[in-house]
Amino acid sequence: EIVMTQIPLSSPVTLGQPASISCRSSQSLVHSDGTTYLNWLQQRPGQSPRLLIYKVSNRFSGVPDRFTGSGAGTDFTLQISRVEPEDVGVYYCMQATHFPQTFGQGTKLEI
Amino acid sequence: QVHLQESGPKLLRPSETLSLTCTVSGDSLISTVFYWAWVRLPPGKGPQWVGSVFHSGSTYYHPSLESRLSMSIDTSKNQFSLTLRSVTAADTAVYYCARDPGGVDFWGQGILVTVSS
């Protein structure tokens, strides 16, 4: 099973300032079809997770452009250009390239 | 907008069987090309994909749960279900149903299932 490791596990941030979360996979996430199935999810307090970024760098419907995903192979990053109050929560990376799908342990973003 | 809603018991005793149902609106299970998934979030841990089912009835299960797990789909009711047998305290988690186009996108609100004697 692919292990997804997120750094940091907790990140104090300042409103209006950038933030960054790293995710590393134990194997390359490039699928045999050439696609990298690496997603980022956000879970706000008291809510269910929602998809932010899919296939490394594509913003899901309704996601603000201050969220940017990047990376390749085994190393990926989620960047927030300017943190807003509603960005508080837990962020997960997940991979769907290899069976079974696996998730990181989560990064808690707190103001 | 796709909406998913979980339903089922919230408290079970060890060795009992967990049965959950997900009702989907805003998308038709029979016409979609997506799989439909269950993901659980144990307390203090990251999410774990449990399994996925296709409208044809084909399924994929997490290897660690495969011996106790079954999933089914009822396209006439636009619902899909999970059955997990012989539960233990380790199965305590918030269970989410979700759409799975290859990495889950839309999630339900979740249901906290507690296994305790």
Side-chain angles (χ1 to χ4, degrees), chain A residues 1 37 39 41 43 48-49 51 60 92 94 96 99-101 103-105, chain B residues 39 41 46-47 49 60-63 96 100 102-108:
Chain A
E1 163 171 325
Y37 294 95
N39 297 349
L41 306 165
Q43 185 171 28
S48 56
L51 181 64
F60 195 55
Y92 300 100
M94 66 155 295
F99 178 83
Q101 301 180 33
F103 295 78
Q105 69 272 55
Chain B
V39 180
L41 184 58
W49 172 78
Y60 290 96
Y61 299 146
H62 195 287
Y96 298 94
D100 182 8
V104 289
D105 54 10
F106 289 102
W107 297 61

Side-chain angles (χ1 to χ4, degrees), chain A residues 12-32:
Chain A
V13 296
T14 303
L15 294 177
Q17 294 299 305
S20 179
I21 301 170
S22 295
C23 175
R24 176 167 290 178
S25 58
S26 57
Q27 291 183 34
S28 172
L29 297 185
V30 180
H31 193 273
S32 56

Side-chain angles (χ1 to χ4, degrees), chain A residues 17-93:
Chain A
Q17 294 299 305
S20 179
I21 301 170
S22 295
C23 175
R24 176 167 290 178
S25 58
S26 57
Q27 291 183 34
S28 172
L29 297 185
V30 180
H31 193 273
S32 56
D33 66 7
T35 302
T36 300
Y37 294 95
L38 183 284
N39 297 349
W40 288 96
L41 306 165
Q42 175 197 60
Q43 185 171 28
R44 291 169 172 159
Q47 296 186 15
S48 56
R50 71 157 176 153
L51 181 64
L52 290 178
I53 303 287
Y54 63 97
K55 297 179 188 177
V56 181
S57 59
N58 298 276
R59 287 186 208 90
F60 195 55
S61 174
V63 175
D65 60 8
R66 65 177 182 273
F67 290 93
T68 302
S70 63
T74 61
D75 290 289
F76 305 91
T77 302
L78 175 68
Q79 293 180 304
I80 309 173
S81 58
R82 295 173 307 278
V83 174
E84 300 285 340
E86 61 267 29
D87 298 337
V88 166
V90 181
Y91 291 77
Y92 300 100
C93 60

